[in-house]
Amino acid sequence: DGGITQSPKYLFRKEGQNVTLSCEQNLNHDAMYWYRQDPGQGLRLIYYSQIVNDFQKGDIAEGYSVSREKKESFPLTVTSAQKNPTAFYLCASSPGPFNQPQHFGDGTRLSIL
Amino acid sequence: QKEVEQNSGPLSVPEGAIASLNCTYSDRGSQSFFWYRQYSGKSPELIMFIYSNGDKEDGRFTAQLNKASQYVSLLIRDSQPSDSATYLCAVNSDRAQGAQKLVFGQGTRLTINP
């Protein structure tokens, strides 16, 4: 089945630790995105990528890093510099052209130990 | 700062009635508009998108766009208990080609009462 797969579903981070969230898509979409959602809030854009080997900062990129070495993969690293990482992280993709809708994976819940 | 505003609710509607969800946006140059449904603990699911002024219908859902008033709405006819969810409005005002930079509202929580 075509779709967007995020793993793990739940993740716990210790103080001072970097953690990496996986996002893989088999939709052949050019563009991929990472969002963060806090309880009772809308989504905020962390990073996005239009093509392989290129990515741009979103509105809240501090404390996060990404890579886009393959079209189908866009992993997000939450670094120790992100002081409030507890949130629901959502990966999305779109075909690329400006107006095409984004579709989301099932998300990863990150908590602090 | 580009903003998208929604009434957080909760909005309570009797089963079978029309639910009306509203969204306003600050960037007059915005070009595409999306409605997502999000069940508690789940990821957002695309319901509708609209690019031009007027109405767009898909089954029980109608999206309405008024660019002059910077207002987009979602109507749900014959509301069902399964429509109970949070509805997120998202607006793309980035004119660059390729990826979109969506700005989301905080969502409206809708409850359909049997």
Side-chain angles (χ1 to χ4, degrees):
Chain A
D1 281 3
I4 303 166
T5 302
Q6 289 188 242
S7 62
K9 197 175 179 76
Y10 299 95
L11 187 58
F12 298 92
R13 195 191 89 169
K14 293 180 182 177
E15 205 65 44
Q17 186 182 42
N18 292 352
V19 292
T20 298
L21 285 60
S22 171
C23 179
E24 303 274 334
Q25 55 98 0
N26 61 5
L27 301 168
N28 199 34
H29 285 175
D30 287 318
M32 297 186 74
Y33 314 81
W34 275 105
Y35 293 90
R36 168 183 173 139
Q37 186 176 34
D38 292 285
Q41 301 296 315
L43 280 63
R44 291 183 290 167
L45 182 64
I46 305 172
Y47 268 99
Y48 64 102
S49 169
Q50 300 182 48
I51 56 172
V52 174
N53 293 322
D54 184 61
F55 49 83
Q56 307 294 328
K57 292 182 179 180
D59 299 321
I60 55 165
E62 187 173 348
Y64 300 97
S65 66
V66 293
S67 62
R68 186 87 187 275
E69 296 176 1
K70 298 185 297 182
K71 185 175 184 177
E72 57 270 25
S73 179
F74 191 41
L76 173 74
T77 296
V78 183
T79 74
S80 57
Q82 174 48 247
K83 297 306 179 189
N84 184 21
T86 298
F88 188 35
Y89 289 87
L90 290 154
C91 177
S93 70
S94 67
F98 175 67
N99 280 338
Q100 294 298 310
Q102 296 178 25
H103 296 270
F104 288 86
D106 289 339
T108 294
R109 289 197 184 277
L110 175 62
S111 301
I112 294 292
L113 277 180
Chain B
Q1 177 76 8
K2 298 169 185 173
E3 294 182 347
V4 176
E5 298 286 340
Q6 296 181 255
N7 188 328
S8 61
L11 175 64
S12 187
V13 172
E15 184 176 356
I18 296 174
S20 177
L21 302 159
N22 304 315
C23 173
T24 59
Y25 57 94
S26 63
D27 186 352
R28 187 170 286 279
S30 298
Q31 300 187 32
S32 50
F33 307 86
F34 305 88
W35 283 100
Y36 289 86
R37 177 176 64 197
Q38 186 174 27
Y39 292 115
S40 181
K42 302 296 185 183
S43 64
E45 172 192 7
L46 181 70
I47 297 296
M48 294 282 292
F49 57 93
I50 187 166
Y51 306 140
S52 304
N53 273 332
D55 294 0
K56 179 181 178 183
E57 189 174 314
D58 183 1
R60 295 187 297 112
F61 299 95
T62 299
Q64 298 176 317
L65 175 61
N66 184 328
K67 288 187 177 181
S69 300
Q70 295 174 237
Y71 176 95
V72 57
S73 64
L74 179 70
L75 302 178
I76 307 174
R77 288 182 299 282
D78 188 23
S79 297
Q80 303 296 311
S82 59
D83 295 326
S84 297
T86 295
Y87 289 80
L88 299 168
C89 172
V91 175
N92 181 19
S93 56
D94 193 326
R95 295 157 188 76
Q97 293 299 311
Q100 310 164 348
K101 292 181 67 176
L102 291 183
V103 178
F104 282 80
Q106 74 270 34
T108 297
R109 188 157 55 96
L110 174 66
T111 300
I112 306 300
N113 299 310

